[in-house]
Amino acid sequence: MFRAVAAILIGVGLTLGLAARADVQPWAVVPSESSIAMRVGSPLGQRSGRFERWTGDIRFDPQAPEETEVSIAVEAASLRMDDGALTRTALGPSFLDTARHPRIVFRLRSLEPTGAQRFQAQADITMKGVTRPVSFPVTLRSDGRTAQMTGGFSLDRAAFGIGTRGPWNGILARQVRVDVVLATRPAS
């Protein structure tokens, strides 16, 4: 009898969970208002870059932002640094190795409310076949017709096997700052 009641309760719980998730609708990225930028320290000061091509799979309910689901696939070879020679180096085998690892993947695991329009994001980043967790604050604004998430985090490039050999390892800072602006609207 206990097993039957437990099975019914689990079934009802799963059904309610699936019903709640059904309200999390697909949203589309607004590329002209979105960006993924990065900067890294060097002896010549901060060097900056921007990824030009990426796609997002976003599920969002303005009434329940903590249910947000985000998966971003970045075309690694679309990185453009503030210097052409630096771009070629960043895309090469010692750094992003875009020939062997064409995608960088960001997957949001959770959004925990911390205040009005503020959340702590928990995500996984995969680069060069290595996945690492990252936690960072974000601001999320929505009027129900549009939504914008902004945030940033620092990554240790060596943890992903980026630039760990050769002269660049001692020249560039290990910490790379990534800033994201993700503007979206309901998918039609």
Side-chain angles (χ1 to χ4, degrees):
M1 178 72 166
F2 175 76
R3 286 185 183 168
V5 170
I8 291 170
L9 290 174
I10 290 171
V12 168
L14 288 174
T15 302
L16 290 174
L18 290 174
R21 300 301 280 182
D23 292 339
V24 182
Q25 300 298 317
W27 284 54
V29 173
V30 180
S32 62
E33 299 173 23
S34 301
S35 65
I36 301 174
M38 54 82 60
R39 10 180 240 279
V40 63
S42 80
L44 300 175
Q46 289 283 321
R47 303 313 304 246
S48 62
R50 181 181 179 112
F51 289 95
E52 295 181 344
R53 290 183 302 278
W54 48 276
T55 58
D57 181 15
I58 298 141
R59 309 281 172 183
F60 178 66
D61 177 356
Q63 301 305 313
E66 62 280 353
E67 298 295 327
T68 299
E69 298 173 8
V70 176
S71 179
I72 303 291
V74 178
E75 187 177 318
S78 74
L79 175 63
R80 296 299 173 261
M81 298 296 295
D82 57 7
D83 175 86
L86 191 53
T87 297
R88 287 188 294 282
T89 300
L91 301 180
S94 294
F95 282 81
L96 290 176
D97 195 5
T98 61
R100 290 184 37 200
H101 303 281
R103 299 258 182 259
I104 298 169
V105 178
F106 171 94
R107 281 200 171 78
L108 180 70
R109 286 187 282 116
S110 68
L111 277 180
E112 300 163 11
T114 60
Q117 300 180 335
R118 297 193 185 277
F119 297 82
Q120 188 68 22
Q122 307 293 327
D124 289 321
I125 309 266
T126 303
M127 287 189 288
K128 291 185 77 171
V130 176
T131 302
R132 298 276 187 250
V134 65
S135 178
F136 58 101
V138 298
T139 300
L140 177 60
R141 293 180 177 92
S142 176
D143 62 10
R145 296 174 316 224
T146 63
Q148 183 180 59
M149 182 185 300
T150 58
F153 49 88
S154 292
L155 297 174
D156 178 353
R157 63 177 170 77
F160 295 92
I162 296 172
T164 56
R165 288 182 261 150
W168 290 103
N169 189 37
I171 295 173
L172 293 177
R174 284 180 61 130
Q175 293 299 311
V176 176
R177 175 69 184 183
V178 179
D179 291 302
V180 178
V181 176
L182 184 60
T184 63
R185 67 174 173 257
S188 37

